Structure formats: C-alpha cells, structure tokens
Amino acid sequence: MPVARPERQEPRVIAHVDMDCFYVQVEQRKNPDLRGVPTAVVQYNSWKGGGLIAVGYEARKFGVKRSMRGDEAKRVCPDLQLVQVPVARGKADLNLYRSAGSEVVAILSKKGKCERASIDEVYLDLTDTAKSMLLEAPPEGLDSIPEEALKSHVLGLGSDANKEEDVRKWLCRPDADYEEKLLACGAIIVAELRIRVLHETQFTCSAGIAHNKMLAKLASPMHKPAQQTVVPASSVPDLLASLPVKKMKQLGGKLGSSLQDDLGVNTVGDLLKFSEQKLQDYYGINTGTWLWKIARGISGDEVEDRLLPKSHGCGKTFPGPMTLKTTSSVKHWLNQLCEELSDRIQSDLDQNKRIAQTLTLHARAFKENDLEPQKKFPSKSCALRYGASKIQEDAMRLFESGLSEFLNSKNVGWGITSLAVGASKIIDIPNGTTSILKYFNEKCISSNSSDCSDALLEEPNHTVTSISKRDDENPKSRAPTESAFHTKGLSDKNANVKGTILRYFSGSSCSSSNQSSANKIDLEEHERTVIASELNSNPNPNNNWGFNIEEIDPSVVDELPLEIQREIRGWIHPSKRINTGKRGSTIAHYFSPARN
DNA sequence: ACGGGTTACACA
DNA sequence: TTGTGTAAC
C-alpha cells in the first residue's frame, strides 16, 4: 500500500519521460525495414503466435492490442509484422532492450537528477537546472524557443487554434508566478533532451512536466507518441476532478477498486469529500494520508539519484503441459535461469562495480490432489556467491528446501508452473577495494582503477599493501610477493597456497553456525566477492594460473606469513568445517558485514 | 494454457 | 530480517 512522503516547501520541476512502444522502436532501429509499418513484438511464437508485449502506433490503428496473441493480432491486422523477442537458454532474453534503455538513461541523466523507473521510463528532477536557466537565460528573453518546446501541450491552456503561438506566450509569460516560470524552463529543457535522445538513439519518447512525480507520471502518456505535456499547478484541480481513480498510479489495482466499490469514489475529485481521518479509518494511517494528499495533487516522493536497477531477476513460466514434474527438469531450468542471472550480475560487477548479496528463489506450484489450493510455494533466499555453478547449486538447494516445506512431508504429485531467481541487496564496491591476489602477484588490483575481472592481466604498478585496511599505512605489514615465496623455497607449493587462500577468501566453503565472529578475518564481503569473481573468470584456473583450486593442503598454511597464518587459522580450518545443512550456512553468510 | 518477465515497494 | 503481497509496464 502506498505511503505519503514529506514534501519540500520549495517548488520542484519534475519530468517523467516514457519511451514510446519501446521494444518496437528497438526492433525498428535494428531492422529499418520495419519503420513506418505496423509492428508488434511477441515472445514465444509457437503457441497461438506468441504473446504481444509491445505494439507500434501504426498497428494500434488496426486495433492491435497488448495482451493479444500473435494469431489474434494477425487477424485484425494481416500486414502486421511480428518480431520475436530474442531467446537465449530457452527463455526470453531482454538484454537488447535493457541496453537500449541504458542508452537513453545516459543521455537524460546529464541534465539533472535522474531515476531509472523501469526499462523504458525515467524521472528527472530538473529543479536546479530550471532555476539556473531562469537566472541566466529566461524564456521571456530568448529570441527563439526550440520548436519541440512549442509543441508542448499545456494543460488548462484552452484554445487549440493558434496552438504554438499560445504555447510560446505561455512559456514566455513575464507575469507568471515563479513556479510557473520554473515549469516553463522545465518544458524547454525536456524538449531539448527529447530531441537529443532522438538524435543520439533514434528513439522517440513522451514526457510529462509537473511539480511532482505523480503529476508528471500522469501527464506523460496524455499525448503520445513523441510529445510532451505540461501540468501547471493551476490546472491540477480541474484535471483531478474528473479523473477516474484507476488512472492514478497505485490505484490501478485492488486499492482503486476498493475506493470505487467500498466508498463510491469514482474520480479523484470524489475523494475530496472524505476527511483525512475517514480515509485513515478505512485504509490505515499511511495510505489514508496518501489518498488525502493525492486527491489534492500533493506528492512528496523525491526523484532518486539512481541510474541502475536495484535488483536483477529472471524467470520463466511453464504453463499447462510444460509444467515441471521432476526435480531433474527443475534443475535443468534453474540452471538456465541461474546462468543468465550470473551473466547479468557479473556484467554489473564488471561495468558498475556493484555486488549483489542475496539470492532469492521463487516458484509457483500445485499439488495433484490439493485440498488447500491456496497454499503457495514459499520464496527462499540465501547469501549470494558469485559464479554460475555456485548460484545453480544454491538455487537448487533453495528449491528443495522450498519444495519440502510446500509438500509438508505429504507424498503427492506436484508440478511447478513458474520458476524465478533474483539477485538483490546490491551494493557499490567501496573505492580502493583490493584483491587478495596482490599477495601473490604484486599487482594491486583496485576497483577504482581497473575492471575487476581483467585486473590480473595488468602490469604490476602499485606496491603491495596489507590485507586489512587498518594496516594500510604500515610498511611492516606488507605481504610478501611471489618472489618472496620463491626465496623461501615455496615455489612448488605456491600453487596450492593460492588455491587454498583463494578458496577460503572467496567464501565458497561452509561454516558452522557457532563460528565466532571474533575470528572474522578483516575482509569485507564485497572483497571476497571480487575474488570469487576473479576465480570464476577462469573456468579452469589450473590451466591458466598454474594451481589447482580444488586441492586444499592445510600444511601450506605453515609457510604463510605469520599474520596471514594467524588470520586463516583463527578463521576456519578444513578440519573444523562443518556443514550444518542449515540454509545459508556459508562463510559468506556468517561473515557478511551486515551481521557482525 | 497463463499477458510473460521484470522491477519496486510496503507490510508483518 | 526474510518472506508475502500489490502494482506497474
């Protein structure tokens, strides 16, 4: 349920930018033959022609709609071009659209605070940019207003005869309020941004410009495609008065239905009749206040400064005859999903230096003779370890745990109709994070100076520093280099040392739950993950690096520098390792920074 | 046999 | 906190 946020007192300029039938545009850019012709994007062609997920504007004229089947759409529009979503590992692969969305974000984020709201939508907070413009180049002093800005639709600006001239007058009105002048600047800035997006990506978009996110979002689809709509504060009461509640974001589902059915509220204007107290009585304190405010066009939600998604997920449904009925088929599909997830979080790490900390598994299931069909398959999560095979292994364990809970030790047939895995709790790697590998290569690998996965290939450049940050300034705590091992006659064992250390540090073992946190080695979770990622970038480290990662020889620990030895011994030793079977009983789990 | 596949968020 | 439900595109 929605919640009201505290509002700023100063007026803001907020834009919501929405790509027009985005997937279709992406496909039309890829194949220009599709330009100007009725086009739709479908996934999975084999059953009834696939499901439509995006419909171009030419096709909409024929009555083609989302959530039609391909066959159906072809009936109403025989010339319709149906493009299939790429398939990888047996499932829809949306990466083409994700990266196209990133192109757009990269452009839009240059003009102000930018929040990626979805694969094809962003919010912009243009307040500061608009303020500067008003000071340095106010519209009323401008010789020419950009053509695209003149094409704006300004709510409450009656006529449509001399539209562009009226809009120009509105944008340049010398007697307007400060907040309306800011909004006019916002409209010009957004027009320029949209033109820039078109030039640099070939994509058109529509936008709403208003004083808050809710109104901007409401306005962006009002004139599509490739147009923008401005919402002056003065237009808001009339706008909302006749607006069906279901049109408001957050009221499109059950809450909106409840307003209609339980309170007889059909338009946002109808909401004005209810006191805040009354709405709170019905919907609780938070949602009640939220409703009271949105009825008046008030929304304090801030535009967050975030260009990247907060989580990654991938899933697939297995309807009807495709239902998964064996653990082996589940394992197969989980493996596919986990491979994709692994690729995506690895790219995120490589490109954005971000690490996902939690792995989650979702499924939908039924029992054959279900007396309680409402029982759902429980979601399960655990600490996320990098590397496709580790993710696969963990996801399968989560599934089995969920399945036994779901079946409740009853011996009945079951079926899985959907599977999904997700990676969440994504954090930035702090600047200066270094890899344990520096101990052996004298190559200081730092997240702010190079790609984590490529770091090994770099020339030596920095001096070796200590493993623990608190000793960074202390020359005596520097670790020995590879040559130091050589001089001690350790070269033949070095391989195993590496394997041992890396294995532990990458968090790929299990620990007992009573492992004391006093023994925690001074390595942050994300540092361990970087290392794990480095290991995983070498599928067969034995060939590439000259050591066997699977071989653990406790005796080599004797030969390590004392401080390392102490930490490793105090941390965990193979002989001490106990697999409790408890979910999430990994080293990563118990030593993650969050649970000190 | 389902709009599918993703995201984000509030609540308990 | 983990897990659940709602909502959006």
Side-chain angles (χ1 to χ4, degrees):
Chain A
M1 303 259 277
V3 167
R5 300 293 174 201
E7 313 108 55
R8 302 281 148 129
Q9 64 288 51
E10 291 259 301
R12 295 177 294 161
V13 177
I14 308 295
H16 179 256
V17 180
D18 196 338
M19 306 308 292
D20 305 318
C21 54
F22 188 48
Y23 291 12
V24 168
Q25 287 205 79
V26 172
E27 295 296 344
Q28 286 175 330
R29 182 177 73 170
K30 195 170 77 177
N31 176 6
D33 290 350
L34 299 173
R35 284 237 152 88
V37 305
T39 305
V41 175
V42 292
Q43 50 191 11
Y44 308 129
N45 208 322
S46 48
W47 195 68
K48 297 191 176 181
L52 271 58
I53 57 172
V55 181
Y57 283 84
E58 296 86 351
R60 293 186 198 194
K61 293 176 195 159
F62 291 84
V64 177
K65 300 207 307 209
R66 255 199 324 255
S67 89
M68 268 181 173
R69 302 278 162 202
D71 298 348
E72 230 178 319
K74 271 287 195 183
R75 248 175 267 136
V76 299
C77 179
D79 290 336
L80 181 67
Q81 298 297 305
L82 284 176
V83 185
Q84 281 184 254
V85 172
V87 171
R89 303 182 179 101
K91 67 177 289 298
D93 177 7
L94 304 181
N95 282 327
L96 177 67
Y97 313 115
R98 285 194 187 95
S99 51
S102 301
E103 293 178 44
V104 175
V105 168
I107 296 162
L108 294 178
S109 58
K110 286 179 182 166
K111 271 290 176 178
K113 203 188 285 178
C114 177
E115 174 182 332
R116 175 202 194 270
S118 78
I119 198 167
D120 70 338
E121 284 173 89
V122 305
Y123 288 98
L124 301 174
D125 188 331
L126 299 169
T127 309
D128 292 342
T129 322
K131 279 181 181 171
S132 308
M133 179 173 174
L134 200 50
L135 284 175
E136 293 156 23
E140 56 197 276
L142 252 42
D143 297 334
S144 66
I145 303 292
E147 181 67 18
E148 191 57 34
L150 297 178
K151 291 181 183 159
S152 298
H153 297 81
V154 182
L155 298 187
L157 243 202
S159 73
D160 37 342
N162 287 347
K163 205 140 195 226
E164 290 200 8
E165 184 53 22
D166 289 347
V167 170
R168 195 191 62 75
K169 279 187 197 150
W170 185 87
L171 290 173
C172 303
R173 236 175 22 165
D175 60 332
D177 291 350
Y178 174 65
E179 58 175 15
E180 292 213 344
K181 289 187 174 179
L182 276 188
L183 209 56
C185 292
I188 293 169
I189 294 160
V190 170
E192 288 169 342
L193 280 173
R194 289 179 40 247
I195 292 300
R196 198 139 122 221
V197 167
L198 179 60
H199 284 161
E200 295 181 23
T201 68
Q202 309 176 35
F203 300 143
T204 68
C205 55
S206 301
I209 301 102
H211 290 303
N212 63 50
K213 285 173 85 171
M214 178 196 80
L215 294 171
K217 168 83 181 172
L218 189 62
S220 65
M222 283 182 176
H223 298 94
K224 270 181 163 283
Q227 297 163 78
Q228 62 184 51
T229 305
V230 184
V231 188
S234 57
S235 75
V236 172
D238 281 354
L239 168 66
L240 297 182
S242 59
L243 186 78
V245 284
K246 288 260 181 182
K247 299 278 184 196
M248 297 280 312
K249 185 171 158 85
Q250 299 289 290
L251 297 181
K254 297 185 176 184
L255 181 55
S257 299
S258 165
L259 283 173
Q260 296 182 292
D261 303 343
D262 303 336
L263 296 188
V265 169
N266 290 303
T267 69
V268 178
D270 295 342
L271 258 185
L272 291 170
K273 299 192 289 251
F274 292 81
S275 68
E276 183 171 5
Q277 185 59 54
K278 197 77 183 168
L279 294 171
Q280 289 181 343
D281 292 346
Y282 266 95
Y283 296 108
I285 183 146
N286 288 334
T287 302
T289 296
W290 181 83
L291 285 167
W292 190 89
K293 286 185 170 175
I294 62 123
R296 289 152 183 81
I298 301 168
S299 161
D301 285 3
E302 300 269 346
V303 175
E304 297 199 29
D305 194 358
R306 180 174 56 77
L307 308 185
L308 300 169
K310 287 182 167 177
S311 65
H312 302 285
C314 51
K316 180 169 173 61
T317 56
F318 306 94
M322 316 224 340
T323 305
L324 309 181
K325 303 206 150 201
T326 65
T327 46
S328 111
S329 63
V330 167
K331 187 170 199 166
H332 170 261
W333 284 109
L334 268 187
N335 283 346
Q336 308 303 304
L337 295 171
C338 290
E339 268 187 32
E340 180 185 323
L341 188 67
S342 177
D343 279 0
R344 283 167 56 193
I345 62 176
Q346 189 61 50
S347 307
D348 201 349
L349 173 54
D350 294 342
Q351 294 168 21
N352 309 314
K353 321 275 186 242
R354 302 197 308 165
I355 290 172
Q357 300 183 108
T358 302
L359 174 71
T360 307
L361 174 125
H362 306 269
R364 282 179 34 203
F366 63 83
K367 295 198 261 279
E368 239 147 40
N369 298 315
D370 55 352
L371 300 177
E372 31 173 15
Q374 78 273 39
K375 172 147 191 190
K376 304 246 172 86
F377 193 101
S379 297
K380 294 289 162 190
S381 61
C382 68
L384 190 153
R385 300 182 295 156
Y386 273 65
S389 57
K390 290 178 194 168
I391 295 172
Q392 288 165 343
E393 186 184 311
D394 292 342
M396 195 60 202
R397 281 207 341 266
L398 293 178
F399 172 79
E400 276 162 354
S401 147
L403 183 63
S404 49
E405 191 175 321
F406 175 70
L407 293 176
N408 213 329
S409 61
K410 286 188 184 68
N411 210 359
V412 288
W414 48 271
I416 300 293
T417 54
S418 94
L419 278 177
V421 289
S424 58
K425 302 218 176 78
I426 301 179
I427 56 164
D428 291 341
I429 304 178
N431 245 6
T433 298
T434 52
S435 157
I436 187 67
L437 295 173
K438 68 198 171 188
Y439 278 89
F440 307 102
N441 293 313
E442 202 178 347
K443 296 170 186 175
C444 187
I445 297 154
S446 178
S447 68
N448 56 359
S449 64
S450 69
D451 271 5
C452 305
S453 54
D454 290 345
L456 274 177
L457 307 174
E458 289 196 353
E459 288 301 310
N461 47 5
H462 297 78
T463 53
V464 174
T465 58
S466 160
I467 189 167
S468 54
K469 291 199 180 85
R470 61 171 181 262
D471 288 343
D472 271 359
E473 308 304 321
N474 180 2
K476 285 183 185 167
S477 69
R478 285 180 182 177
T481 64
E482 185 133 19
S483 58
F485 278 110
H486 264 279
T487 57
K488 288 167 95 178
L490 272 175
S491 62
D492 53 335
K493 279 188 178 174
N494 210 5
N496 273 335
V497 174
K498 284 183 187 177
T500 305
I501 304 284
L502 293 172
R503 189 173 173 79
Y504 282 121
F505 280 66
S506 66
S508 56
S509 316
C510 287
S511 109
S512 64
S513 58
N514 56 9
Q515 187 66 47
S516 156
S517 64
N519 291 333
K520 178 181 175 181
I521 197 162
D522 193 6
L523 251 197
E524 299 293 340
E525 178 65 18
H526 63 263
E527 295 179 292
R528 224 171 284 125
T529 306
V530 168
I531 296 160
S533 131
E534 288 163 350
L535 294 179
N536 292 316
S537 68
N538 288 282
N540 189 350
N542 198 26
N543 292 339
N544 293 322
W545 294 2
F547 65 87
N548 184 357
I549 194 77
E550 297 306 323
E551 238 175 74
I552 298 176
D553 178 0
S555 73
V556 302
V557 175
D558 296 342
E559 309 292 343
L560 286 166
L562 279 176
E563 59 167 5
I564 304 289
Q565 233 185 87
R566 173 169 42 80
E567 288 177 314
I568 287 182
R569 289 181 190 290
W571 182 24
I572 190 171
H573 199 269
S575 61
K576 283 188 171 182
R577 193 156 21 109
I578 301 167
N579 188 346
T580 61
K582 183 172 177 285
R583 262 190 313 108
S585 62
T586 63
I587 286 179
H589 185 77
Y590 284 101
F591 290 89
S592 75
R595 54 184 80 230
N596 281 351

